[in-house]
């Protein structure tokens, strides 16, 4: 017997030959998967030989995947009509299971009714939520999955239930090993000892839909994880979903307090569970996830062994690692939990906002810290996708939150598909204002993500929202990651870790929606609209230099930030035919900045003079060479310093080249010189600067305080 470590534990791997002696196993033809490396080819010189190897490997993988798909051709697919045909004619079985469910849930409902009559419903919410979690565990796999699904639905469950159900674990008993090994042989058409040289005598993990064994492939000696589906699981969940769907019809018809279409919600959830039953689909999910996100060196996704995979058996690369919630074990390897959590957050943001394809079940058991410091993702049965429009709308929602534009936040829920277009959002605005005004007293980077989710969840629960599955699942993902980080650092804030990604996307993404979001963030009040579908309507009056500086500071923290791409989308708009209103504001800001730089230079020159020269030139005025109030002086110096700091941030970036601005300046100059409108704008710049500096000089000569500001309009 050989022993192989698995995350700090040892599991015995029994030689498969001994199993053959213990029981009669029918012989089958041996079909071995081709090893990944072919030494004869890899020894060839030249890039052409390497290319042949890569193409050959890819072709073999595709062929093996096609064979796996053929083995899973009869995998079940969720169909309400098929369930009705299968179980509608089984009254005894339906009655038995119905009674079992009614007794469990009926007693729970009775307790809720008693709590309501005694006026202690809110007081006992936490207690009842814990009871519901235990009931779901006893009722079996379907209800375990249902509880996990409800834990992501703030529009259905109160916060106490969300938190309790999120702790629901797949704590179900294992099924006999003999049945698991028989399933492997039946599904793959091979004897166990022809596939594996050894396999663990008992499962190393058990979940609601299956259990996992650790084995060693016979042809290569590679250690793999073998996931085997629980026998009879399709029958069990099919019966349960048939009954649950019937209850959904009753809720839709008679329960007015729940505004969500419960039947549609059940159908959506059931289809996802049925997808989890097809292990070939899970393997394809893993392959797609690896292609999109494992390009980062700190993210690991296991490979799939397609020749040993079917609808009910999944064989994948074994990953040595420690669960992300085992802080002591992680730190004993010289790793930091916060570094791993930050990797998870950045990967989750890419999943949600970049490609839209994301892991929908990222609980601690599915996230491992490898000895090399990588974050490994496991279990790709439940995946989800974020629609492209929603990805941009989420970033816009964050911008509106920063600006405390609650009317725009409420309108975002149309784009996010939270509300139907006929719903009036005006009653929702005060609720958002009441919550976020308190929450935003701290800076956004200091906000606790769970506080935001809980507060927003309370708003969603009170109004007719229908939260899409993708949004609820990603909220759960980030909440789980923040919870893991809080064990290591009670002051950790997931929004602070997320902000560099948002800053990078806003500064560099050419998408019109995000470009307009950046314009809205940098300018305050009024109206700006570039494209017809843009939700951003703002008045270009006051440029927020402090926000630009903060975006650059935060964006530079993202390792993919490119200084040469920063602000390029806005600059392209500035030079485009639709940028007339923006150009007008840039002219005004140019006047302000030029004045601040000139006056700042004058003040710096004055302060550097010896005292006797100040007395000779400026008659010893303590207020300096310019007649300005302290407040006005501070604003001028602050603006000058902010502009210099922003330029310093750009210049200090690794890939920033000042010559990149040359085409922009040339285009602006060409526009000013060749177009009548450009010449007018150029004249306004020069005229505005001249007016403001002349006004300052006149104030100094006459030594009278300013009563107003020069205008360039």
């Amino acid at each position: 017997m050989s022993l192989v470590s698995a995350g700090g534990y040892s599991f015995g791997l029994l030689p498969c030959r001994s199993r053959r002696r213990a029981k009669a196993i029918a012989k089958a033809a041996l079909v071995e998967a081709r090893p990944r490396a072919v030494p004869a080819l890899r020894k060839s010189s030249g890039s052409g030989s390497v290319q042949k190897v890569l193409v050959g490997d890819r072709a073999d993988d595709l062929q093996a995947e096609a064979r796996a798909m053929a083995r899973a051709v009869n995998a079940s697919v969720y169909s309400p009509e098929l369930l009705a045909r299968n179980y509608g004619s089984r009254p005894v079985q339906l009655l038995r299971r119905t009674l079992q469910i009614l007794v469990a849930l009926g007693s729970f409902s009775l307790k809720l009714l008693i709590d309501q009559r005694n006026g202690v419903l809110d007081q006992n919410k936490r207690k009842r939520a814990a009871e519901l979690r235990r009931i779901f565990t006893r009722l079996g796999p379907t209800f375990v999955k249902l509880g996990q699904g409800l834990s992501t639905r703030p529009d259905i469950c109160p916060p106490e239930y969300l938190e309790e159900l999120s702790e629901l674990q797949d704590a179900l008993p294992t099924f006999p090993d003999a049945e698991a090994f028989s399933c492997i042989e039946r599904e793959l058409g091979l004897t166990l000892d022809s596939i594996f040289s050894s396999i663990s005598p008992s499962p190393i993990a058990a979940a609601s839909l299956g259990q996992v064994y650790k084995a060693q492939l016979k042809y290569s000696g590679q250690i793999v994880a073998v996931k085997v589906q629980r026998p009879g699981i399709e029958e069990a969940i099919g019966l349960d979903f048939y009954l649950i769907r019937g209850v959904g019809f009753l809720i839709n018809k008679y329960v007015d307090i729940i505004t969500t279409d419960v039947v549609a919600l059940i159908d959506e959830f059931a289809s996802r569970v049925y997808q989890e039953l097809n292990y070939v689909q899970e393997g394809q999910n893993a392959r797609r996830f690896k292609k999109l996100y494992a390009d980062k060196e700190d993210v690991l996704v296991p490979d799939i062994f397609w020749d040993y995979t079917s609808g009910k058996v999944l064989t994948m690369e074994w990953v040595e690692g420690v669960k992300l919630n085992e802080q002591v074990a992680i730190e004993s390897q010289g790793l930091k939990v916060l570094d791993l959590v930050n990797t998870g957050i950045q990967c989750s943001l890419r999943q949600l906002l970049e490609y839209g394809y994301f892991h929908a079940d990222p609980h601690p058991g599915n996230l491992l810290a490898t000895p090399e410091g990588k974050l490994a993702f496991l279990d790709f049965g439940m995946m989800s996708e974020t629609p492209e429009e929603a990805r941009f709308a989420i970033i816009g929602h964050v911008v509106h939150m920063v600006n405390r534009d609650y009317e725009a936040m409420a309108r975002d829920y149309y784009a996010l598909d939270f509300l139907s277009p006929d719903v009036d959002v005006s009653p929702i605005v005060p609720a958002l204002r009441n919550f976020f005004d308190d929450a935003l007293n701290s800076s956004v980077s200091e906000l606790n993500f769970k506080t935001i989710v809980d507060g927003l969840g309370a708003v969603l629960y009170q109004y007719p929202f229908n939260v899409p599955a993708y949004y609820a699942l990603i909220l759960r993902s980030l909440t789980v990651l923040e919870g893991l980080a809080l064990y290591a650092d009670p002051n950790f804030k997931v929004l602070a870790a997320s902000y560099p990604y948002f800053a990078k996307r806003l500064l560099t993404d050419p998408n019109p929606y995000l470009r307009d979001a950046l314009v809205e963030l940098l300018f305050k009040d009024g109206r700006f609209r570039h494209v017809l579908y843009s939700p951003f309507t703002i008045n270009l009056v006051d440029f927020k230099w402090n926000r630009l500086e903060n975006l650059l500071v935060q964006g530079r923290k993202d390792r993919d930030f490119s200084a040469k791409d920063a602000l390029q989308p806005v600059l392209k708009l500035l030079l485009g035919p639709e940028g007339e209103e923006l150009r007008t504001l840039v002219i005004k800001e140019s006047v302000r900045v030029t004045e601040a730089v000139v006056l700042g230079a004058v003040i710096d020159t004055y302060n550097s003079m010896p005292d006797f020269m100040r007395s000779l030139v400026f008659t010893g005025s303590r207020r300096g060479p310019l007649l300005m109030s302290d407040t006005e002086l501070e604003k001028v110096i602050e603006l000058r310093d902010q502009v210099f700091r922003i330029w310093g941030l750009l210049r200090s970036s690794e890939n920033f080249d000042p010559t990149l601005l040359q085409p922009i300046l040339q285009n602006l100059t060409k526009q000013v010189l060749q177009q009548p409108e450009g010449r007018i704008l150029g004249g306004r710049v020069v005229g505005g600067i001249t007016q403001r500096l002349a006004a300052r000089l006149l104030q100094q000569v006459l030594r009278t305080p300013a009563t107003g500001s020069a205008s360039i309009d």
Side-chain angles (χ1 to χ4, degrees):
M1 177 185 296
S2 61
L3 294 177
V4 182
S5 175
Y9 298 92
S10 293
F11 298 98
L13 299 184
L14 294 183
C16 291
R17 189 174 293 105
S18 63
R19 298 184 183 280
R20 183 181 57 184
R21 289 196 298 265
K23 60 179 181 178
I25 299 178
K27 294 291 183 180
L30 176 60
V31 181
E32 289 193 347
R34 178 177 172 272
R36 295 183 180 278
V38 184
L41 282 177
R42 294 198 184 277
K43 289 180 181 178
S44 302
S45 60
S47 59
S49 299
V50 175
Q51 186 67 25
K52 288 180 181 179
V53 171
L54 295 176
V55 173
D57 285 349
R58 180 58 180 156
D60 287 349
D61 281 343
L62 289 174
Q63 292 175 7
E65 183 179 345
R67 291 193 292 270
M69 292 174 64
R71 287 191 288 270
V73 69
N74 294 322
S76 298
V77 177
Y78 177 70
S79 168
E81 296 78 13
L82 184 60
L83 291 183
R85 287 199 301 268
N86 287 345
Y87 300 106
S89 59
R90 304 182 189 179
V92 175
Q93 187 177 6
L94 288 174
L95 180 60
R96 184 185 304 115
R97 182 58 173 169
T98 300
L99 288 176
Q100 185 180 4
I101 296 172
L102 285 178
V103 169
L105 296 182
S107 61
F108 176 76
S109 301
L110 181 60
K111 291 178 181 178
L112 290 181
L113 183 60
I114 294 174
D115 287 346
Q116 186 176 25
R117 289 188 175 181
N118 293 337
V120 293
L121 187 62
D122 291 337
Q123 181 180 339
N124 287 345
K125 271 186 180 178
R126 179 72 60 183
K127 177 181 178 182
R128 299 305 177 211
E131 290 181 8
L132 184 61
R133 173 175 55 81
R134 291 191 291 269
I135 289 172
F136 280 169
T137 301
R138 289 198 303 269
L139 286 176
T142 308
F143 285 86
V144 168
K145 286 293 180 184
L146 180 62
Q148 291 174 336
L150 288 174
S151 71
T152 68
R153 303 299 306 212
D155 53 333
I156 297 178
C157 296
E160 293 84 358
Y161 283 79
L162 294 176
E163 187 171 338
E164 195 67 36
L165 292 177
S166 67
E167 298 178 4
L168 194 63
Q169 301 296 318
D170 294 334
L172 294 172
T174 62
F175 58 89
D177 299 314
E179 293 186 31
F181 298 144
S182 177
C183 176
I184 295 173
E185 294 181 333
R186 184 173 60 253
E187 286 289 309
L188 301 181
L190 302 169
T191 59
L192 207 63
D193 65 337
S194 69
I195 305 172
F196 309 115
S197 57
S198 56
I199 190 169
S200 57
S202 59
I204 60 171
S208 56
L209 302 183
Q211 56 196 37
V212 179
Y213 294 84
K214 185 177 182 181
Q216 186 176 32
L217 289 178
K218 189 171 185 179
Y219 83 86
S220 66
Q222 187 163 355
I223 304 298
V224 294
V226 185
K227 186 175 178 180
V228 186
Q229 194 170 111
R230 187 177 293 273
I233 189 67
E234 294 180 18
E235 178 76 12
I237 68 171
L239 176 62
D240 284 345
F241 277 124
Y242 176 73
L243 293 173
I244 293 171
R245 199 169 188 272
V247 174
F249 277 111
L250 296 177
I251 293 175
N252 281 350
K253 187 173 182 179
Y254 297 109
V255 182
D256 295 333
I257 193 174
I258 298 179
T259 58
T260 302
D261 185 346
V262 177
V263 173
L265 181 63
I266 292 171
D267 286 342
E268 179 186 1
F269 181 71
S271 65
R272 293 183 184 279
V273 173
Y274 268 79
Q275 287 178 11
E276 286 192 74
L277 293 178
N278 185 349
Y279 286 175
V280 170
Q281 179 64 55
E282 180 175 346
Q284 292 172 329
N285 294 342
R287 182 198 61 198
R288 182 181 176 188
F289 190 91
K290 183 183 184 75
K291 180 180 179 181
L292 291 177
Y293 307 116
D295 58 325
K296 304 301 180 185
E297 60 182 12
D298 49 9
V299 173
L300 188 149
V301 179
D303 288 323
I304 305 299
F305 292 83
W306 292 108
D307 273 318
Y308 305 130
T309 295
S310 71
K312 296 183 179 181
V313 176
L314 176 64
T315 303
M316 66 172 58
E317 176 186 2
W318 177 264
V319 178
E320 290 285 353
V322 180
K323 290 182 180 180
L324 211 56
N325 59 351
E326 297 178 3
Q327 181 180 349
V328 175
I330 291 175
E331 292 180 349
S332 67
Q333 299 182 36
L335 305 176
K336 295 182 179 179
V337 173
L338 292 182
D339 290 343
L340 293 159
V341 169
N342 191 60
T343 297
I345 290 172
Q346 300 306 315
C347 187
S348 293
L349 291 171
R350 292 185 70 204
Q351 293 173 53
L352 172 64
L353 301 174
E354 203 161 320
Y355 296 105
Y357 184 71
F358 65 91
H359 196 298
D361 191 22
H363 61 74
N366 291 338
L367 299 171
L368 298 183
T370 71
E372 299 79 21
K374 295 185 178 183
L375 180 64
F377 285 81
L378 305 177
D379 193 353
F380 301 91
M382 185 174 287
M383 309 295 289
S384 188
E385 296 199 48
T386 310
E388 184 176 14
E389 292 132 3
R391 296 178 220 163
F392 303 128
I394 290 171
I395 296 180
H397 198 58
V398 173
V399 171
H400 292 145
M401 183 181 72
V402 172
N403 285 346
R404 303 195 185 204
D405 188 349
Y406 303 122
E407 289 80 7
M409 284 184 70
R411 291 193 299 270
D412 288 338
Y413 295 128
Y414 294 133
L416 290 169
D417 202 24
F418 280 29
L419 297 170
S420 60
D422 58 337
V423 175
D424 181 16
V425 297
S426 56
I428 301 170
V429 175
L432 292 173
R433 180 177 291 109
N434 290 338
F435 170 69
F436 282 105
D437 272 348
D438 290 336
L440 293 174
N441 283 335
S442 302
S443 67
V444 174
S445 62
E446 294 176 349
L447 287 175
N448 183 293
F449 188 75
K450 187 178 184 303
T451 301
I452 294 292
V453 172
D454 288 347
L456 188 58
V459 175
L460 299 179
Y461 184 66
Q462 295 173 18
Y463 295 94
F465 285 95
N466 181 24
V467 179
Y470 72 84
Y471 191 83
L473 290 169
I474 204 66
L475 287 182
R476 179 192 177 198
S477 171
L478 293 175
T479 303
V480 167
L481 289 169
E482 183 177 59
L484 291 170
L486 290 175
Y487 283 110
D489 180 6
N491 296 318
F492 182 85
K493 300 293 184 292
V494 71
L495 287 180
S498 305
Y499 201 55
Y501 178 87
F502 279 95
K504 179 202 70 175
R505 288 291 301 276
L506 284 171
L507 287 170
T508 62
D509 200 303
N511 181 272
Y513 195 113
L514 297 186
R515 181 199 55 211
D516 291 352
L518 174 62
V519 172
E520 181 184 14
L521 189 64
L522 296 180
F523 299 96
K524 185 175 97 174
D525 301 331
R527 310 210 165 267
F528 171 75
R529 187 183 295 274
H530 167 56
V531 288
L532 293 177
Y533 61 84
S534 172
F536 300 104
T537 303
I538 52 181
N539 203 15
L540 302 183
V541 173
D542 185 13
F543 188 82
K544 296 291 187 180
W545 289 98
N546 59 327
R547 287 184 178 173
L548 176 57
E549 181 182 2
N550 188 40
L551 284 174
L552 288 170
V553 169
Q554 295 295 330
R556 281 159 49 99
K557 296 178 182 178
D558 189 287
R559 61 186 174 187
D560 295 328
F561 176 77
S562 173
K564 68 179 181 180
D565 295 331
L567 300 177
Q568 287 291 328
V570 175
L571 292 174
K572 288 180 180 178
L573 172 61
L574 176 67
L575 299 176
E578 300 90 352
E580 180 179 354
E581 194 170 357
L582 184 59
R583 285 194 293 272
T584 301
L585 178 66
V586 170
I587 297 300
K588 294 181 179 180
E589 281 301 313
S590 299
V591 172
R592 288 183 63 231
V593 170
T594 303
E595 180 193 36
V597 171
V598 172
L599 295 182
V602 171
I603 294 170
D604 288 345
T605 302
Y606 173 78
N607 291 333
S608 64
M609 289 182 178
D611 292 340
F612 76 92
M613 290 187 64
R614 295 185 194 179
S615 301
L616 290 175
V617 180
F618 299 107
T619 65
S621 172
R622 294 184 178 180
R623 304 188 62 84
L626 301 172
L627 188 62
M628 302 174 67
S629 67
D630 291 341
T631 301
E632 190 177 11
L633 180 61
E634 288 176 2
K635 288 183 177 179
V636 168
I637 297 300
E638 181 182 3
L639 175 59
R640 191 272 310 265
D641 291 346
Q642 279 185 333
V643 173
F644 284 176
R645 285 198 302 270
I646 289 170
W647 178 245
L649 287 170
L650 290 172
R651 291 188 62 186
S652 62
S653 299
E654 293 181 3
N655 53 3
F656 178 71
D657 183 2
T659 60
L660 293 171
L661 297 177
Q662 184 176 351
I664 298 171
L665 296 175
Q666 289 175 346
N667 287 334
L668 280 174
T669 303
K670 181 179 179 182
Q671 185 182 42
V672 169
L673 295 177
Q674 294 184 0
Q675 299 182 17
E677 296 83 357
R679 288 194 293 272
I680 293 173
L681 288 175
R684 290 175 67 187
V685 173
V686 176
I689 294 172
T690 303
Q691 286 182 32
R692 294 186 73 120
L693 293 179
R696 295 292 185 190
L697 179 61
L698 188 61
Q699 291 170 22
Q700 176 64 29
V701 171
L702 299 177
R703 308 300 292 175
T704 58
T707 58
S709 299
S711 173
I712 66 171
D713 293 328

